[in-house]
Amino acid sequence: MSLRLMTWNVHGMHGRSRRHDPDRVAQVIIDARVDVAGLQEVGALRGREGLADPKTALEQLTGLSVAYATTELRRGFPFGNATLARHPITATRTYDLSVAGREPRGCLRTDIDVPGGALHFFNVHLGLAWRERRRQASQLLSADILRDAALLYPLVLVGDFNSPWPRISAVPRWIGRHLRDGAVLGRSAGPTFPSRLPFLRLDRAFVGPAVRVLGAEVLTSQTARLASDHLPIVLEIELEAQARRPPLARDVQAAGVATVR
């Protein structure tokens, strides 16, 4: 059975019209029929309104289960990453990728019980400065996160990497030594930013060796273009046969993550 995955920086749910519109963001997710969605910049932009409870709001708007990780508070509103799933979320873990003197950043890991097996879904938002991104990429590729020996299932890493040119940016190349670029495999490695006339590929979805990419697309509907300054990427994937096994409670405990009840 195939799965549809999304990554999307939703820009605080303020679209190009600068209007805070969570319903419009939710509609794009619903129309895309995704099984799992990794969202970045979920919350308040500076000087603008946000959601007091992003997790509950997204659950109500989309009908999906939501894991949310706050990286900072802005004007009292949470700001961070959210992962939405059509299938049960069994565990979550957050990683602080913040660099001193820079905007707080983080990675949200969500373990999801999908048909026939389970998935480690990592959702990240890297910084704007190249030295900052290199440090964050090194953290991601450490034995504590993406190369953790306790990882049990196929792995997907999505997010806003803020690295538009892989040939001169170290971060995509470093990650590409361990994971494969899903959009390239799906033959749709198009630009995602800015949404009106995109020419930069800031957003990416990487997959591990037990994941087969069946297709990929950058969503360019009028609603998607208006809902954020980034465009969403959608991958269609399938787990390799040897990776399809149900998650066990003892496995989750061994992995050292917070079990969702």
Side-chain angles (χ1 to χ4, degrees):
M1 178 179 177
S2 65
L3 299 169
R4 288 174 63 81
L5 312 180
M6 172 186 282
T7 181
W8 192 16
N9 181 325
V10 297
H11 192 54
M13 299 187 176
H14 287 78
R16 283 169 37 211
S17 64
R18 299 186 178 183
R19 177 167 55 91
H20 186 242
D21 195 343
D23 294 88
R24 184 169 52 189
V25 169
Q27 192 59 54
V28 173
I29 296 169
I30 292 168
D31 290 346
R33 299 175 287 106
V34 297
D35 295 284
V36 186
L39 309 182
Q40 305 85 43
E41 291 195 15
V42 180
L45 293 177
R46 286 189 172 88
R48 303 183 192 173
E49 71 272 33
L51 296 171
D53 184 356
K55 180 180 186 297
T56 300
L58 285 169
E59 287 176 337
Q60 292 175 345
L61 289 170
T62 64
L64 303 176
S65 299
V66 177
Y68 185 78
T70 301
T71 54
E72 64 175 312
L73 292 177
R74 294 185 172 183
R75 299 178 60 248
F77 292 106
F79 186 83
N81 302 325
T83 295
L84 290 66
R86 188 174 306 281
H87 307 290
I89 295 174
T90 58
T92 62
R93 184 170 179 175
T94 58
Y95 305 91
D96 186 4
L97 301 180
S98 302
V99 174
R102 305 294 301 178
E103 181 180 324
R105 303 285 181 173
C107 175
L108 170 62
R109 167 182 157 189
T110 309
D111 295 351
I112 304 166
D113 185 357
V114 299
L119 187 69
H120 294 303
F121 190 85
F122 290 83
N123 177 11
V124 68
H125 189 190
L126 300 189
L128 296 174
W130 67 269
R131 286 190 177 90
E132 176 187 13
R133 290 195 299 274
R134 288 191 176 194
R135 181 168 174 178
Q136 290 163 342
S138 295
Q139 287 179 264
L140 284 173
L141 293 171
S142 72
D144 294 326
I145 308 182
L146 294 178
R147 301 177 70 186
D148 190 339
L151 294 177
L152 304 161
Y153 313 121
L155 182 154
V156 174
L157 168 67
V158 307
D160 178 356
F161 290 83
N162 275 313
S163 300
W165 299 288
R167 293 186 179 180
I168 61 174
S169 175
V171 170
R173 286 187 283 109
W174 289 358
I175 295 175
R177 293 171 187 165
H178 304 275
L179 303 172
R180 297 165 299 155
D181 190 318
V184 171
L185 292 173
R187 300 182 180 181
S188 184
T192 58
F193 180 88
S195 59
R196 183 182 179 185
L197 293 171
F199 66 96
L200 297 176
R201 189 174 171 232
L202 302 184
D203 308 276
R204 298 173 186 272
F206 294 93
V207 301
V211 177
R212 180 186 299 116
V213 176
L214 305 177
E217 62 177 322
V218 177
L219 301 186
T220 58
S221 69
Q222 184 66 10
T223 306
R225 290 183 185 275
L226 290 173
S228 173
D229 60 346
H230 289 242
L231 293 174
I233 297 173
V234 172
L235 292 188
E236 185 171 1
I237 69 162
E238 185 177 73
L239 303 186
E240 299 284 358
Q242 68 271 20
R244 297 174 191 162
R245 65 181 182 87
L248 302 175
R250 65 173 180 271
D251 292 340
V252 173
Q253 292 173 357
V257 295
T259 303
V260 175
R261 293 182 172 85

